[in-house]
Amino acid sequence: MQKVLLSKKEATALKNALERSRGDKSSVIQWHSHNLWDEKTAPLNDVDLDTVCKALYVGYEVEPGPEEKVLEIYNDLEVNGRAREIVKEVLKIFNIQIKGINC
C-alpha cells in the first residue's frame, strides 16, 4: 500500500491531532469520524476517513508547495539555456522570492 499525499496544512493538522492523542491513532480516527476538529485540526475536515487511516497506519508524504514545484522545474532546466533567466524574470515581475532561484 502506498503512502498518501497530504497538503502541508493537512499534515500539520494530523501531527497536532496525534500530539493531542499522545500518539493514539485510534483516538484520532474516532475524532475524525465524529468531526471533532477545532482550529488547529480543522484542515482534516476535508480529508476522507480512509485517507486519514492510511496516513496514520501506512504513512504520508507532504505535497510540495508552489515554491518547491517552481524550484524543481527550475533545477531541471538546462543550465546554459535562456529558460532559467526567463523564470527569474517572471518571478521578478510577480515580486516572488524563491530560495535557490532569486534569493
Side-chain angles (χ1 to χ4, degrees):
M1 205 178 266
Q2 286 185 320
K3 293 180 178 181
V4 296
L5 192 62
L6 298 178
S7 70
K8 287 182 182 183
K9 287 182 181 181
E10 292 165 346
T12 300
L14 186 59
K15 182 181 173 187
N16 288 330
L18 278 168
E19 287 173 0
R20 267 193 211 144
S21 72
R22 296 187 179 117
D24 184 7
K25 296 173 184 177
S26 62
S27 290
V28 174
I29 293 169
Q30 185 177 19
W31 295 339
H32 189 68
S33 65
H34 289 70
N35 201 24
L36 298 175
W37 300 129
D38 63 8
E39 187 177 312
K40 286 188 174 184
T41 52
L44 292 175
N45 287 330
D46 297 329
V47 181
D48 63 79
L49 182 59
D50 187 49
T51 301
V52 170
C53 291
K54 284 180 186 175
L56 289 169
Y57 290 101
V58 176
Y60 64 90
E61 294 178 359
V62 179
E63 182 178 23
E67 291 85 3
E68 290 92 359
K69 290 177 183 179
V70 171
L71 180 59
E72 184 179 326
I73 292 168
Y74 178 82
N75 287 333
D76 286 343
L77 295 174
E78 215 176 290
V79 175
N80 296 327
R82 173 111 171 89
R84 283 188 168 196
E85 291 305 314
I86 293 170
V87 170
K88 287 180 182 179
E89 287 299 315
V90 170
L91 293 174
K92 184 178 178 181
I93 290 168
F94 286 103
N95 197 27
I96 298 171
Q97 299 286 314
I98 297 178
K99 188 175 181 178
I101 299 178
N102 60 353
C103 70

